[in-house]
Amino acid sequence: TGAQMLSIEKEAELKQRFKLAGVKATQKRMEIFHTLVLANRALSPYELAHFCEHDFSLSVPVVSIYRTLDLLVSVNLVHKLDLVNKYIACAHLECQSHHPHSQFLICNVCQKVTEIHIPHTITTELSEHIAKHGFQLKSPQYEFQGVCQACSS
């Protein structure tokens, strides 16, 4: 695809998202985030470094990508998928509200990730059921692995 520079409109949109999240919109942060959005799938920091270089002709040290991703996770612009050790842009950026209970469906075949929201009543019931067994969840984020419809046909 070649070097895809941020358009003025896209740069303004990203700056606004960062501002709403309370994050300084540096060029590197915006390009890393924009690349993750463009990828439209979960990426490891190493895969993200490759995309940055390919799409933006931007060589970013992986350690900088890790720091940027940690920051973006902390302000809910990006989610870390612990089961696959990858990151994905929040699927609900347009509504600009915090989603404390994100769940993810991860295809074992194509690695497609779908962000869903299970009703709060179900996650509360599940947490209570788990607590009855003497276990306390550290995160309301659930990740489910399986096979997506496209790969199962």
Side-chain angles (χ1 to χ4, degrees):
T1 55
Q4 295 182 3
M5 299 308 293
L6 286 172
S7 69
I8 299 212
E9 296 81 17
K10 181 55 75 176
E11 188 170 336
E13 177 186 333
L14 289 178
K15 282 182 179 179
Q16 182 63 20
R17 286 203 176 136
F18 277 59
K19 182 178 179 182
L20 288 170
V23 175
K24 184 176 179 181
T26 66
Q27 195 65 31
K28 189 185 302 182
R29 288 175 183 167
M30 289 192 308
E31 288 171 342
I32 289 170
F33 180 67
H34 183 60
T35 301
L36 193 57
V37 170
L38 285 178
N40 201 28
R41 64 184 177 98
L43 298 174
S44 72
Y46 289 93
E47 291 168 325
L48 192 51
H50 173 77
F51 269 79
C52 282
E53 190 165 346
H54 183 261
D55 288 354
F56 292 110
S57 300
L58 178 69
S59 180
V60 182
V62 175
V63 71
S64 292
I65 291 177
Y66 271 106
R67 275 194 298 254
T68 298
L69 289 171
D70 285 345
L71 175 66
L72 297 177
V73 166
S74 74
V75 295
N76 300 306
L77 291 173
V78 169
H79 300 291
K80 181 177 184 193
L81 304 175
D82 293 318
L83 282 177
V84 292
N85 200 26
K86 294 186 177 190
Y87 297 81
I88 190 163
C90 180
H92 303 97
L93 293 171
E94 287 74 30
C95 66
Q96 300 175 354
S97 66
H98 179 59
H99 300 287
H101 302 291
S102 293
Q103 293 81 38
F104 300 92
L105 309 176
I106 305 167
C107 179
N108 289 336
V109 178
C110 69
Q111 302 303 306
K112 175 184 175 184
V113 177
T114 303
E115 182 177 349
I116 64 169
H117 293 287
I118 295 174
H120 183 67
T121 54
I122 293 173
T123 58
T124 299
E125 186 176 329
L126 182 59
S127 294
E128 289 169 357
H129 184 70
I130 289 169
K132 287 179 187 175
H133 294 279
F135 193 84
Q136 185 177 16
L137 293 176
K138 72 173 198 170
S139 167
Q141 176 175 304
Y142 303 116
E143 300 171 25
F144 302 97
Q145 290 186 311
V147 180
C148 71
Q149 187 174 8
C151 290
S152 66
S153 4

